[in-house]
């Protein structure tokens, strides 16, 4: 008898393990408009997005900056 976690001997393997062809590689999601979605996402993509503190750094280094406290 096979130990726990081991595959069965080849003569006892099911068709899915031994004889059936592999999957076709087709996904399950609908990708009919994939080109349009990708193009729209690319148009709104910035090359170097603004960081969360960038506005504050610019404010601090602008001419005439007066600290609040």
């Amino acid at each position: 008898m096979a130990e726990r976690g081991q595959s069965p001997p080849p003569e006892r393997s099911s068709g899915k393990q031994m004889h059936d062809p592999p999957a076709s590689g087709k996904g399950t999601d609908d990708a009919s408009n994939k080109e349009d979605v990708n193009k729209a996402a690319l148009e709104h993509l910035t090359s170097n997005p603004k960081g969360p503190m960038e506005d504050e750094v610019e404010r601090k280094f602008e001419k005439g900056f007066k600290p609040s406290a």
Side-chain angles (χ1 to χ4, degrees):
M1 186 166 164
E3 289 186 30
R4 191 173 200 154
Q6 291 184 345
S7 299
E11 59 273 4
R12 291 190 51 223
S13 295
S14 68
K16 289 183 178 184
Q17 294 173 331
M18 294 296 292
H19 308 291
D20 292 349
S24 64
K26 303 279 187 202
T28 57
D29 59 344
D30 178 26
S32 58
N33 63 346
K34 179 173 64 171
E35 293 296 326
D36 297 331
V37 171
N38 288 343
K39 191 177 212 178
L42 188 60
E43 287 173 0
H44 300 294
L45 192 64
T46 58
S47 62
N48 194 9
K50 191 179 259 194
M53 298 298 289
E54 195 166 329
D55 290 334
E56 184 65 17
V57 170
E58 287 177 13
R59 188 180 71 80
K60 283 186 178 183
F61 288 100
E62 68 186 13
K63 196 169 187 176
F65 171 71
K66 296 179 182 159
S68 58

